[in-house]
Amino acid sequence: MFESLADLPTHALPHLAPRAADSHKGDYGSGLLIGGSRGMCGAIALAGLAALRSGAGLVRLAVPDQCLETVASYSPCFMTIPLPDDEQGRLAWKCLEKLEAPLANATCVAIGPGLGQSADLRKLVRRLVRTVTCPLVVDADGLNNLVDASGWRKQHSSTLVLTPHPGEWSRLSGVSAGDREAQCRAAVNFAANTQSIVVLKGARTLITDGHSAVWNGTGTPAMATGGSGDVLTGLITALICQGLEPRDAAHVGVHAHGLAAEIAQQSLRSHVVLPTELIVHLPEAFARIEQN
């Protein structure tokens, strides 16, 4: 085990492979993003839009039935899957059966944006962690629904990419959100012990697989607004869909996310960058990454 965080090796920013001239959407994966609830439709829509803009070949959003039209109205470019829901507009346990086929066809799955919390959702998230065989990105309420669950840290079937902010990580790890160094140490230990990836968000986001660590240098306080994390979820999902290993997808995703916010702030000359504006500036961020 490492003596200090400074002892952990780091690595250079990975790059996506160039697209072949004769490629098609099937070459760039199928992303399945599960989330949304009544009053929080925008979160899953933002994740879907980011996944599309970041290059996933196909993007499906699995959402509560009563949210379908609202989510679909954000873009004609992603597909929507209506799932059984409860009276509060959250996914119900019985949605699991309808998810079987989409899960089987997914290159990468993400769960959490706008999901909400309930007894059914706690069971659903735990089941997906145990049974999904492709990489699984867990964010927001996907993480919150795991807080009181037992066993999932050792029982996951695929590579997990967890993307908590300090408050979510405090609930999962028991380490105070006010102690950044202790939270980072807990993230490294968790990743090493569970063979997962932890993206601990913050001013210098930590990306770790437990054996290496990268502290991201891009970003701006202007991106500190609700929805930015949902964009990151879609971004990482799309990069995994295109063939990057989960650790590398997390690294590139966090870097591009922060860089797009910097570009947007400079372009808009504003002290705040909305998540939709961040998505609009992702192409320029990726272009700059490719030039380096």
Side-chain angles (χ1 to χ4, degrees), residues 2-25:
F2 62 94
E3 294 295 327
S4 72
L5 293 173
D7 293 334
L8 285 167
T10 187
H11 47 84
L13 184 70
H15 287 263
L16 278 171
R19 294 196 168 199
D22 60 349
S23 61
H24 55 82
K25 66 177 183 286

Side-chain angles (χ1 to χ4, degrees), residues 44-220:
I44 192 67
L46 285 168
L49 289 167
L52 285 167
R53 178 52 71 188
S54 301
L58 199 63
V59 176
R60 293 183 174 94
L61 306 186
V63 300
D65 183 63
Q66 63 181 279
C67 298
L68 182 78
E69 284 75 17
T70 302
V71 173
S73 70
Y74 281 89
S75 176
C77 300
F78 49 60
M79 293 183 288
T80 48
I81 302 170
L83 298 177
D85 48 20
D86 63 19
E87 293 180 355
Q88 285 72 45
R90 301 169 302 204
L91 292 177
W93 169 249
K94 60 184 177 181
C95 76
L96 188 62
E97 182 178 352
K98 196 168 181 182
L99 277 170
E100 288 181 0
L103 287 169
N105 293 320
T107 309
C108 181
V109 175
I111 186 165
L115 190 67
Q117 299 180 58
S118 70
D120 274 11
L121 287 168
R122 287 191 287 275
K123 289 198 300 180
L124 177 65
V125 175
R126 279 178 280 178
R127 174 66 68 85
L128 293 178
V129 166
R130 289 199 305 268
T131 60
V132 169
T133 55
C134 65
L136 177 62
V137 182
V138 187
D139 183 37
D141 278 333
L143 298 166
N144 291 326
N145 278 295
L146 287 172
V147 169
D148 296 324
S150 60
W152 65 272
R153 292 166 176 81
K154 292 291 187 180
Q155 295 174 358
H156 52 92
S157 299
S158 64
T159 301
L160 296 181
V161 181
L162 309 184
T163 61
H165 60 54
E168 291 161 346
W169 188 238
S170 178
R171 290 188 284 276
L172 278 172
S173 68
V175 179
S176 169
D179 192 338
R180 180 67 177 179
E181 182 173 355
Q183 281 213 328
C184 288
R185 292 180 66 88
V188 172
N189 287 330
F190 180 95
N193 292 333
T194 60
Q195 298 181 346
S196 58
I197 313 300
V198 178
V199 176
L200 181 57
K201 293 183 279 198
R204 294 185 71 234
T205 293
L206 167 67
I207 306 100
T208 182
D209 60 358
H211 306 289
S212 63
V214 172
W215 279 266
N216 183 58
T218 63
T220 164

